[in-house]
Amino acid sequence: MPHKIAILGASGYTGAELVRIIATHPAMEIVGLSGDRKAGMEMAEVFPHLRHLTLPALEKIEDMDFSGVELAFCALPHATSQAVIRDLPRNLKVVDLSADFRLRDPAEYEKWYGKPHAAVELQKEAVYGLTEFYRDEIRAARLVAGTGCNAATGQYAIRPLIEASVIDLDDIILDLKAGVSGAGRSLKENLLHAELSGGTHPYSAGGTHRHLGEFDQEFSKLADRPVRIQFTPHLMPFNRGILATVYVKGDPQAVHKALADRYAAEVFLEVLPFGALPSTRSVAGSNFVHIGVSGDRIAGRAIVVAALDNLAKGSSGQAIQNANLMLGIEETAGLMLAPVFP
Amino acid sequence: MPHKIAILGASGYTGAELVRIIATHPAMEIVGLSGDRKAGMEMAEVFPHLRHLTLPALEKIEDMDFSGVELAFCALPHATSQAVIRDLPRNLKVVDLSADFRLRDPAEYEKWYGKPHAAVELQKEAVYGLTEFYRDEIRAARLVAGTGCNAATGQYAIRPLIEASVIDLDDIILDLKAGVSGAGRSLKENLLHAELSGGTHPYSAGGTHRHLGEFDQEFSKLADRPVRIQFTPHLMPFNRGILATVYVKGDPQAVHKALADRYAAEVFLEVLPFGALPSTRSVAGSNFVHIGVSGDRIAGRAIVVAALDNLAKGSSGQAIQNANLMLGIEETAGLMLAPVFP
Amino acid sequence: MPHKIAILGASGYTGAELVRIIATHPAMEIVGLSGDRKAGMEMAEVFPHLRHLTLPALEKIEDMDFSGVELAFCALPHATSQAVIRDLPRNLKVVDLSADFRLRDPAEYEKWYGKPHAAVELQKEAVYGLTEFYRDEIRAARLVAGTGCNAATGQYAIRPLIEASVIDLDDIILDLKAGVSGAGRSLKENLLHAELSGGTHPYSAGGTHRHLGEFDQEFSKLADRPVRIQFTPHLMPFNRGILATVYVKGDPQAVHKALADRYAAEVFLEVLPFGALPSTRSVAGSNFVHIGVSGDRIAGRAIVVAALDNLAKGSSGQAIQNANLMLGIEETAGLMLAPVFP
Amino acid sequence: MPHKIAILGASGYTGAELVRIIATHPAMEIVGLSGDRKAGMEMAEVFPHLRHLTLPALEKIEDMDFSGVELAFCALPHATSQAVIRDLPRNLKVVDLSADFRLRDPAEYEKWYGKPHAAVELQKEAVYGLTEFYRDEIRAARLVAGTGCNAATGQYAIRPLIEASVIDLDDIILDLKAGVSGAGRSLKENLLHAELSGGTHPYSAGGTHRHLGEFDQEFSKLADRPVRIQFTPHLMPFNRGILATVYVKGDPQAVHKALADRYAAEVFLEVLPFGALPSTRSVAGSNFVHIGVSGDRIAGRAIVVAALDNLAKGSSGQAIQNANLMLGIEETAGLMLAPVFP
């Protein structure tokens, strides 16, 4: 008997990616799909690539019947998410893909998102969804907060270095290259093909990107002292993939060892041989993360490069991995899809 | 017990695509991989996106041990393929992805490929691999010849119209848009990113493209008279996908009905509602074909548009579908992967 | 003394392209720029690639001072254009880049654009802006209507064939591949990079695309009888360029000769040697048109392929070429910029 | 009377870009083009986008007649270049676009390029071609060595900061994003569209990229002490453009002021208002450089981002700017072409 799940906010890219992965998941069945503005439409009209699937039509959340539903993925926009989740049945497990429950401190939430949190109790309850680092808590959780896709990429590269105390905590620079699907399906001029293709530019530079809230929270907790990194994302003319180039001060071999050791038993994390660096193309369409380490001609400097697919491991794949844990399913179920190249 | 298979020519794109799909196939196990120039290398070095898989190293064909192997996929270049397959053990089932066994008439082969066939007996034995039209023969075959990817796309759009006698056989125009991965991994100036991206151009125009040999053979056989179509492929600045725009003379509703009826029971063929036309993006990464029909303001003219992924349904997916039949496995096994969008 | 010109609707792509070309034009000076929603902004904010230029700030049309202005380019949306142009000073020469004055017959306008024309008198006065075919009329005109970019491409390929009576007028098929900048800077889901890149699809198929109004008008006038072509545009994942693949019935050599003869003296029209076919990449960024002709293995069939840059020769370049004529400047002034490749 | 120039190595991208720019240059005339493997061909066959130009056919260098030629651009591969230039007539001015004369120290050349220099005397004579910093020397030079395209981008961002002593010289990190045309027209697997599009990866990381030789030479000379930076280039899925993201320690406002002051009088260098960061799209196709500066939430950290077109300002545009100086022409002649967007 498959576990019955619902997807709230199924008309965006992370919603579609959830459906794509669950399509071949052995133990989940989609019984409800919401899409506010597109309520009444079939998923095949909104996403023609899913037309071979038998799926419920999109409906409004208020019209959804949650009886029998065990878990809901919530792929709604920030702020909307917290209000919706607050009103869901209490016995429903929830994996939220928005930013609403990532930060534990209400003041931090307000600082980065510009308004007070509307569901502070839930915020406290929520478990941070970086699976490989919160596995036990996630298994026991009712509400899991999916991480930011950039935040996940950066943390996969940096967390083991903090844990292993092999780098200078005061000089971490994360130069990130982000595929455009991370910006979602929203209609913005800079996301048009004519504007975006054929070049690149940085955005949210100088310490203003909201995912810094997650970095601050997680790295400071790990280090048991405040850690502030520099983070400059660049918008890339491709759809899927994030590449994080991290500049740290520390012994490159020690850095590599810390990563290799930490991820030795992890199915989805592949640490490349020392000196080899990854490409986003090698993980696109999959739940895998590739991480490489290089030294520099300057002694004591290391470069860590991590690549993942923002829609999959950075968002919907992670969500399903967490849901698997919450439902007591094999953690990797449905997620062993190989990357698509070329 | 999974069926043991080998892949000859695993260092090209169709080879990698076979591995990608078989990675989650429930009933196949890869026990041998050949790659002549890359013999001795691990697949992860040649295709880093496959590094999470446990695979045999690449070896030379002459070093391969075929005992225990039930079926070999042969993803070698034209001409090489026929010589290799001729020398394989006779009890080995073979799905060939090259052009070598597509044409049944040795004279036609020589006309289109410029030299005599080196394995004429095998050429006669081979079954043409367009699954939905040769299913029974494929099930019983030892050697199946995969179709050309353009040839498959065109035939999915046109065959039912010939079968149903709803179009003028002397005026069929196929304007095709082909993603670049169809050209393989060969080093040609016009395949460089700097040359190819950002524009388009026709190639092999005027009745010179080799896939016309397949169209001629198949359409003439179906119609029981010579049929010659016009075919102009255009090279597209994207990696996966073929879009066939077919201009025919006939009643558009009858054309649509012929397609809808013919494919009603086919899992991988989706005929869209009349007037809706497909996008390559909706099938990329999958074994599905989307087909749409439009009328024109000029009465008696119809436009059929078919879209598929050249590496999947147009090549490696088709090959696996055929292998499933040959091995007595469920035809769709391993092939229900949803398209990847965006 | 340069001619003083103004650009109405300078915040769109054709507006920016006018500025780009005029930046190195020897005899034009931009003295006014309008942009309704962006009034008050500097052009460098709207289009950072133009920041090296000294330009007037964007203002509302009603605030513009037209004294001293000799000619206005009007790059406004359909329908807006006719209302604005109706109210401009009568002594101002106008090159309109919208669809508003392309069709001479008010009934045809209403049929294709869905509402009555608001400036019927001007509609009659306007000269159709396909320079190489209306040169004398344009030289004398006060109001010139820029052609549709697809309409220009198709006409360059087809007009000489009608003039020379070398093709069957009842069987002309235009399969067109259109770069996305032709759709402008409007915020539509299907124009997002995540939706558009990596694939293609047809749109406005079956005789519904508005540029058919221009084809009908022009081809019927040329042939002195009604001519209706089939026209299927496809949206391409690149920014600049249109490729028109035209299937006609006629002798290929005669078709080639008709084109070569007709354009022998034209600076911007390059007819390739028989059998060579063009690429959009070879004209991008320029005012040039490349045209090639191929025969087919079926006797009596010819394929004509034309390529141009929709923003340049298909729109803003054409507009400047026409303005040069209207102002008595050398026709090619400012327009000899070479295509940009790669 | 235009200055007669020749281009050696005209069949590569920098050769084509020289021709493109010179096509509208008011004071240069191309009288000779060499292309070894393509000798005998017309430029229009090698680069169809140049077919509107009247150009000499490609010939072998040994067949070229240099009488009357004032200046030669040498766009040959490394190592070839030094041998060819050594044998050119002594009265010929030369702008070399290869790496052969960039490094003044023969030992450094050998270290980075792996073999001894074959024309050490010329190496000493050559002037480094970063125009805005070597203008007077270039004006008087017979042989100018064009800079590396990445080296130019990084230096535009960093040199003024060293000159003004506003940053820590021991902690400069250059994370660079490089369009693929910088890799030239060579047939390499990783430059294929199917391999390159849709993602990104770093290359030559860890202090191994040859352009570090230039950074070392120039920054150390400027600072009058050894300066070693970290430099990680990433290959981008677009054709033109380099974005350099530079992480420095220093006061952001002082950093911005140093750049703004230094480039205040420079035509081609645009320093954006503090906080605004550039895009490669805004300079593509042009000789302009856009530079922006941002602070960080961490005090004392600044981010400098510079963007230029690697084929234009990073290579062929720079070469023409230098040639203008060497020929006594207006420095900006032929180079005011506006960027092409979209």
Side-chain angles (χ1 to χ4, degrees), chain C residues 9-223:
Chain C
S11 61
Y13 293 147
T14 54
E17 182 73 352
L18 286 166
V19 175
R20 177 181 82 90
I21 299 173
I22 294 171
T24 48
H25 192 292
M28 285 189 192
E29 181 190 355
I30 299 170
V31 298
L33 293 170
S34 94
D36 228 42
R37 280 170 308 160
K38 305 200 169 165
M41 292 176 73
E42 292 295 328
M43 201 62 175
E45 296 171 84
V46 181
F47 287 113
H49 70 292
L50 300 173
R51 65 171 292 127
H52 64 289
L53 298 171
T54 304
L55 292 169
L58 290 164
E59 54 189 332
K60 288 182 181 294
I61 292 171
E62 54 263 40
D63 297 336
M64 294 186 85
D65 174 9
F66 288 103
S67 61
V69 178
E70 236 180 300
L71 183 144
F73 293 101
C74 190
L76 297 164
H78 311 323
T80 306
S81 211
Q82 53 193 267
V84 166
I85 290 175
R86 195 184 46 199
D87 296 341
L88 290 175
R90 281 282 145 177
N91 63 332
L92 192 64
K93 293 174 196 289
V94 177
V95 179
D96 183 34
L97 285 79
S98 85
D100 277 4
F101 297 101
R102 294 170 186 166
L103 301 183
R104 277 178 292 269
D105 179 345
E108 280 292 297
Y109 179 86
E110 189 166 347
K111 172 179 141 194
W112 289 104
Y113 293 91
K115 49 183 155 185
H117 203 286
V120 175
E121 284 313 303
L122 284 175
Q123 194 188 9
K124 282 178 188 152
E125 176 195 343
V127 172
Y128 191 66
L130 199 71
T131 324
E132 290 78 4
F133 294 91
Y134 287 91
R135 190 170 272 129
D136 292 339
E137 294 91 328
I138 291 165
R139 204 174 265 123
R142 191 187 72 82
L143 169 61
V144 169
T147 72
C149 53
N150 300 318
T153 319
Q155 288 181 70
Y156 283 127
I158 298 171
R159 288 184 76 116
L161 313 185
I162 299 178
E163 289 177 340
S165 300
V166 294
I167 57 166
D168 179 350
L169 297 180
D170 293 318
D171 208 349
I172 301 171
I173 292 175
L174 168 53
D175 187 285
L176 189 135
K177 294 86 183 169
V180 67
S181 66
R185 212 177 195 180
S186 51
L187 297 178
K188 293 181 188 156
E189 203 169 77
N190 69 319
L191 304 182
L192 294 175
H193 187 281
E195 305 276 327
L196 182 69
S197 67
T200 189
H201 66 276
Y203 66 99
S204 300
T208 62
H209 194 288
R210 287 166 166 182
H211 289 182
L212 279 168
E214 292 174 64
F215 288 130
D216 290 356
Q217 167 180 288
E218 295 298 312
F219 293 157
S220 299
K221 185 179 160 209
L222 261 186

Side-chain angles (χ1 to χ4, degrees), chain B residues 81-165:
Chain B
S81 210
Q82 53 192 266
V84 166
I85 291 175
R86 195 184 44 199
D87 297 341
L88 289 176
R90 280 281 145 177
N91 62 333
L92 191 64
K93 293 174 196 288
V94 177
V95 179
D96 183 34
L97 286 79
S98 85
D100 276 4
F101 298 101
R102 293 170 187 166
L103 301 183
R104 278 178 291 269
D105 179 345
E108 280 291 297
Y109 179 86
E110 189 166 348
K111 173 180 141 194
W112 288 104
Y113 292 91
K115 49 183 156 185
H117 203 285
V120 173
E121 285 314 303
L122 284 175
Q123 194 188 9
K124 282 178 190 153
E125 177 195 342
V127 172
Y128 191 66
L130 199 70
T131 324
E132 290 77 5
F133 293 91
Y134 287 92
R135 189 170 273 127
D136 292 339
E137 294 90 327
I138 291 166
R139 204 173 267 124
R142 191 187 72 83
L143 170 59
V144 168
T147 71
C149 53
N150 300 318
T153 320
Q155 288 181 70
Y156 282 127
I158 297 171
R159 287 185 77 115
L161 314 185
I162 299 179
E163 290 177 339
S165 300

Side-chain angles (χ1 to χ4, degrees), chain B residues 33-37 39-40 58-65:
Chain B
L33 293 170
S34 93
D36 227 42
R37 281 170 306 161
L58 291 164
E59 55 189 331
K60 287 184 181 293
I61 292 172
E62 54 264 39
D63 298 336
M64 293 185 85
D65 174 10

Side-chain angles (χ1 to χ4, degrees), chain A residues 17-50:
Chain A
E17 182 73 352
L18 286 166
V19 175
R20 176 180 84 88
I21 298 173
I22 294 172
T24 49
H25 192 292
M28 285 189 191
E29 180 191 354
I30 299 171
V31 297
L33 294 170
S34 93
D36 227 43
R37 281 171 307 160
K38 303 200 171 166
M41 292 176 76
E42 293 295 329
M43 201 61 174
E45 297 171 84
V46 181
F47 286 113
H49 71 292
L50 300 173

